[in-house]
Amino acid sequence: MLEIIFSEHTLMTGLSLATPLLLCALGGAVCSKAGNFNIALEGFMLIGAFFGVVGSYYLHSAFAGVLTAVLAAVLASLLYGLFLIQLKGHEVILGFGFNMFAIAITGWLLGPVFGGKGSFYDPATPSLEKINIPLLQDIPVLRTLSGHNIIVYLSWLAIAVLFILLYKTALGYKIRALGENPKALSVNGLSTVKYRYLVEMIVGVACGLAGAFLSIGNLSMFTENMTAGRGFIAVAAVGFSNAYIPLTALASILFGIANAVAIQLQGVGMPTEFVDMIPYAMTILMLLPAIRQNQKKAYN
């Protein structure tokens, strides 16, 4: 049983399952550093997933589907930003509101856009192709890094790009100042509103890619609420890591591997209820350090 669970196949599946979590969590980490603990990641991802299929189906191109998903998620994140930044909405209430809005609007749009309810699938709809890396294909363990689609590799690249952006550039210092000392930006004549909208756009791009991965990454299909809580797990990864990009990435990948292990356990006869519990139990366990840290701050 251990050979089945801790196999190259499980690792490869885990890396794939981690992709939407990783992208959402990275976007959420940037948001958190800018002073907004964004729990609308689930909604942005779901909107991206729906419009990814729309773009791929009507434009007959998976690449067009990815662009459509990103554009839709960015527009959703800017709308969220409008309510948060300009209208001074409460971030938690807004987050839950946008998540419910995304479930409702995508479920309703299935009718007028695809002529059905509940789900859409057309085998003729293009999906993203796998990319095989010749140098890695014959190397044990490392070959698990080959055979993924472009969004998986973009998610790995995003770890380095966002880390450099936040900690090695002037723009990153300004973004972090939004969360630590926004008055410092205002005193220096910089617009905090502009940078906050920029952060929301970064989140939109990340969640749009995550949504596109879900809907056109393997099979081109969309089902109602297909994100299935992944955005909330991404929020947990942000909380666990205190929005530090390398730890956020590690937590997301561990969640993905936990999901892959759960799938393998199901295949060897473990009770379905126990298996389904594993990723969420892991979420709670990983949140405990963050909860304790917040309690210490409250007492101090």
Side-chain angles (χ1 to χ4, degrees):
M1 185 167 112
L2 289 177
E3 290 179 0
I4 297 174
I5 295 172
F6 300 105
S7 64
E8 289 185 3
H9 175 71
T10 303
L11 179 57
M12 189 170 184
T13 303
L15 291 174
S16 181
L17 292 173
T19 300
L21 304 177
L22 174 58
L23 285 165
C24 276
L26 290 175
V30 175
C31 242
S32 182
K33 287 298 182 185
N36 169 217
F37 194 69
N38 194 333
I39 62 171
L41 306 177
E42 177 93 355
F44 299 158
M45 179 166 44
L46 186 59
I47 288 172
F50 178 80
F51 283 96
V53 168
V54 171
S56 185
Y57 177 73
Y58 282 103
L59 300 176
H60 309 291
S61 166
F63 179 71
V66 173
L67 291 181
T68 307
V70 169
L71 177 61
V74 167
L75 289 175
S77 66
L78 288 175
L79 182 61
Y80 169 90
L82 173 66
F83 282 97
L84 179 71
I85 300 164
Q86 304 295 141
L87 303 179
K88 310 299 181 185
H90 191 284
E91 62 183 16
V92 175
I93 296 172
L94 268 178
F96 279 112
F98 264 79
N99 291 334
M100 290 186 286
F101 166 75
I103 294 172
I105 193 69
T106 54
W108 175 76
L109 283 173
L110 276 169
V113 175
F114 294 119
K117 291 182 179 181
S119 64
F120 168 78
Y121 172 67
D122 185 337
T125 305
S127 59
L128 295 170
E129 296 181 359
K130 308 293 184 187
I131 299 173
N132 293 312
I133 304 173
L135 294 175
L136 299 178
Q137 283 182 310
D138 299 321
I139 303 175
V141 182
L142 288 181
R143 59 188 165 210
T144 59
L145 303 179
S146 177
H148 301 281
N149 64 50
I150 186 64
I151 295 180
V152 177
Y153 297 114
L154 286 176
S155 71
W156 300 347
L157 180 63
I159 300 171
V161 169
L162 291 178
F163 179 81
I164 292 170
L165 172 69
L166 282 179
Y167 295 100
K168 304 295 180 181
T169 67
L171 176 59
Y173 294 135
K174 292 168 187 173
I175 289 174
R176 286 190 289 132
L178 282 174
E180 296 171 9
N181 188 8
K183 288 184 179 179
L185 292 177
S186 301
V187 168
N188 285 282
L190 298 173
S191 170
T192 58
V193 171
K194 178 178 73 174
Y195 289 108
R196 292 181 75 184
Y197 273 115
L198 175 62
V199 167
E200 296 303 332
M201 290 179 68
I202 291 172
V203 175
V205 171
C207 291
L209 287 172
F213 176 85
L214 288 177
S215 59
I216 59 174
N218 294 302
L219 295 174
S220 291
M221 64 178 296
F222 179 83
T223 59
E224 284 191 57
N225 197 23
M226 73 182 300
T227 47
R230 289 178 177 86
F232 293 109
I233 294 177
V235 170
V238 174
F240 163 77
S241 63
N242 199 25
Y244 182 59
I245 295 291
L247 281 180
T248 302
L250 178 61
S252 302
I253 292 169
L254 287 176
F255 280 131
I257 292 173
N259 270 310
V261 170
I263 293 169
Q264 295 296 329
L265 287 173
Q266 217 165 11
V268 296
M270 294 291 286
T272 304
E273 295 80 6
F274 176 78
V275 169
D276 290 342
M277 178 187 74
I278 291 175
Y280 302 101
M282 188 173 176
T283 303
I284 295 170
L285 290 173
M286 295 187 78
L287 276 175
L288 286 177
I291 293 170
R292 288 176 181 172
Q293 186 177 7
N294 289 333
Q295 286 177 335
K296 288 180 181 177
K297 287 180 180 179
Y299 286 128
N300 292 333

